[in-house]
Amino acid sequence: MEDYQKCIEKLKEKVYNLFCNDTSGHNIDHLERVLNYAIYLQSKEGGDLVVIAVSAFVHDIHRILQTKQGRYVSPKESLPFVEELIKDLNISNEQKTHILFAVEHHEEYKFGKENCAVKDIESKILQDADNLDAIGAMGLVRALKYDFNCKKPIFVPETPLTQTEYAEGSNIDASTIHHIYNKLIRLDKNMNTKSAKALAKRKVNFLKSFIDLYLQEFYGKFD
């Protein structure tokens, strides 16, 4: 059986080639950061390190399919492609099945509600690692870059800032500020593990401060 480092080395060239031209904020740098978060969380929370590391490195294949097809593609739709990527890894069939499960469910958002399908620590860590990279300074940069590429405005003052039920792929947010308000500053409520919750708190506070300062400057409130 291979350890996680050998698995990642085997996957690197294929994954790099798939993501080298991504402009959505889900590029190879994102995958490597999610991988690093996942390894860190596993060191604190436990779980199968191979399952956690490999699923972190291949979790966004649906983003590549989405770009090619010009529509929202769910993680579940990407599973045949993920399965093809990992088929030559020297790991157990149980581990491969577990990786596919973690990838399928990594974009579920419960925001404090106990309605998430994942119960295993590996899938919980993948969710947490991916969400941690969506918040804080890096998350802000990614949101701005993604919305710039989509030609979405930074802010639309005519649309009230209200938190609605969030669904990935719905594209309901009127602007980047609305997206941060509706999704990103709530992701601390979506963390599964104690370690991720501790990391998320500072990151979410940064985003809340950014929104407050942005709105003060936008409306010319300087006191």
Side-chain angles (χ1 to χ4, degrees):
M1 290 291 177
E2 291 173 333
D3 63 20
Y4 86 91
Q5 292 172 317
K6 288 182 181 178
C7 290
I8 298 303
E9 281 303 314
K10 278 191 173 182
L11 289 169
K12 260 187 178 178
E13 185 176 357
K14 292 179 182 178
V15 173
Y16 273 50
N17 288 339
L18 284 171
F19 285 87
C20 62
N21 296 317
D22 181 85
T23 58
S24 71
H26 302 87
N27 56 15
I28 193 65
D29 294 336
H30 165 65
L31 296 181
E32 290 182 336
R33 288 192 303 270
V34 172
L35 173 62
N36 289 335
Y37 276 124
I39 292 169
Y40 169 79
L41 293 175
Q42 189 277 339
S43 73
K44 303 291 185 183
E45 305 287 343
D48 186 323
L49 184 52
V50 169
V51 170
I52 290 166
V54 172
S55 63
F57 204 55
V58 301
H59 75 280
D60 266 347
I61 298 299
H62 67 297
R63 300 289 181 178
I64 300 302
L65 301 176
Q66 189 168 296
T67 299
K68 289 181 178 179
Q69 297 181 23
R71 64 174 181 87
Y72 175 69
V73 175
S74 70
K76 185 174 183 178
E77 293 176 82
S78 75
L79 295 186
F81 300 89
V82 176
E83 190 170 13
E84 180 68 20
L85 271 179
I86 67 174
K87 70 177 183 180
D88 294 329
L89 299 181
N90 185 21
I91 59 178
S92 70
N93 289 332
E94 183 180 359
Q95 285 174 310
K96 290 176 182 177
T97 299
H98 204 156
I99 290 164
L100 295 174
F101 181 86
V103 170
E104 178 180 352
H105 294 284
H106 80 271
E107 282 189 348
E108 293 180 355
Y109 300 99
K110 60 185 186 296
F111 297 119
K113 300 175 183 177
E114 295 300 325
N115 61 353
C116 190
V118 304
K119 305 296 181 186
D120 57 294
I121 189 61
E122 292 82 7
S123 298
K124 288 181 177 181
I125 284 178
L126 176 58
Q127 282 188 352
D128 286 355
D130 192 31
N131 285 332
L132 283 170
D133 197 52
I135 51 180
M138 193 61 70
L140 176 60
V141 170
R142 288 179 62 211
L144 290 167
K145 180 180 178 180
Y146 179 79
D147 285 352
F148 176 80
N149 281 311
C150 294
K151 296 181 171 55
K152 182 174 285 189
I154 298 293
F155 183 49
V156 178
E158 297 81 11
T159 303
L161 277 178
T162 55
Q163 289 181 338
T164 58
E165 192 72 23
Y166 185 80
E168 192 70 24
S170 60
N171 200 30
I172 60 174
D173 299 314
S175 71
T176 305
I177 295 297
H178 286 81
H179 179 68
I180 295 170
Y181 188 82
N182 189 37
K183 177 186 176 183
L184 302 189
I185 65 169
R186 302 165 70 191
L187 284 178
D188 59 334
K189 304 293 191 300
N190 205 60
M191 298 298 165
N192 300 296
T193 64
K194 183 178 179 181
S195 302
K197 288 174 183 177
L199 291 174
K201 184 176 181 180
R202 178 167 60 95
K203 288 167 163 280
V204 166
N205 285 340
F206 166 80
L207 290 178
K208 289 178 178 178
S209 296
F210 169 77
I211 290 178
D212 288 344
L213 185 58
Y214 180 90
L215 294 177
Q216 287 174 26
E217 295 180 0
F218 184 90
Y219 289 112
K221 298 179 180 179
F222 306 122
D223 294 331

